Amino acid sequence: MADTGKDIKKAKQLLEAGQVIAIPTETVYGLAGNALDAHAVAEIFRVKNRPSFDPLIVHVPSFHVVDRYTEEVPSAALQLADAFWPGPLTLLLRRKPIIPDLVTAGLPTVGLRCPDHPLTRELLASLDFPLAAPSANPFGYISPTRPEHVAQQLGDKIPYILDGGPCSVGIESTIIGFVNGQATVMRAGGLKIEDIEAVIGRVDVRDVSTSNPQAPGQLQSHYAPRKTLIVGEITRLMKEHASRTIGTLTFSRATDAPIGVVLSPEGNLEEAARNLFAALRTLDSSEAEILLAEFVPDTGLGRAINDRLRRASR
Ligand code: TXA
Ligand code: MG
């Protein structure tokens, strides 16, 4: 069983020995290994049971190291890193050969991100390599936002969980690619599209509802609980499924279902994002036979929340 603790030196030693550990970020916990070591990267795929066509994000201590790993940085990427790093923003940039093929699934770009968590920033600054890290959950399941989520599912497969407490953002980073120079949102996430547009102007948004071979993480079924989750108008859904034990997930108002989680009683989208994945886990392990959820307002972080709800549902 994995040890859990706040020992950065221990984390560093394990990573330097080529091992894979869990690290906290402000978005979700990551399953981290030396991004420049193909063996460590292969171990990440193995532990997570992740198909090798799905590329990994590489975590760096600061923007200063980016030119070690990338060929060229569009000016919009520079502006975004300047405005939002450290933070919940991943930039897809043309990679140098030093990044192993396995990290990028053979794609010409690498996803880079500087996470905003004090423990992980200190850890990254102490290492002479960057960390490849997908979310620390078995492939396709709900992302972990607390150390105990990692322990429950991957605790017997890794030696250490660096405990950074609950994640402050709670939803994965926003991924921006540059398609013919045009900034394009490949995954809505913890950085609002409105905030991005305030810095670089209008961005394109990939239709995440369709299967998108450029971003395999956008697969239809992802972030999914084991139980069936249906998203829609909650009162109608409750009537339709009245014969079963219902668990509801609502934005700000409780339902009269026997089991229910409210994401934010005050109707705050930041709070809702922070609570989303833990709420799905609670409902998944409850007595409920079927999970019913409603969409949240589709602005700010609501876009990322609704994207996760759509893909967690079936
Ligand atoms: O907030 C986050 O981004 C978290 C924390 C741990 O940093 N990480 C995360 O990683 O969500 P993961 O592997 O669960 O999702 C990353 C997604 C992949 O599924 C893939 O679709 C996309 O990022 N991705 C990574 N590199 C890419 C690339 N070169 N081109 C297109 N998509 C890429
Ligand atoms: Mg993930």
Side-chain angles (χ1 to χ4, degrees), residues 183-186 188 193 197 202-208 303:
T184 305
V185 175
M186 312 296 277
I193 294 172
E197 291 190 326
R202 275 303 292 270
V203 295
D204 286 344
V205 180
R206 271 283 153 99
D207 178 7
V208 293
R303 295 175 74 162

Side-chain angles (χ1 to χ4, degrees), residues 254-279:
T255 65
D256 56 12
I259 300 158
V261 180
V262 176
L263 288 173
S264 170
E266 268 143 50
N268 175 305
L269 288 166
E270 272 77 17
E271 182 180 32
R274 201 154 48 237
N275 291 333
L276 176 68
F277 288 139

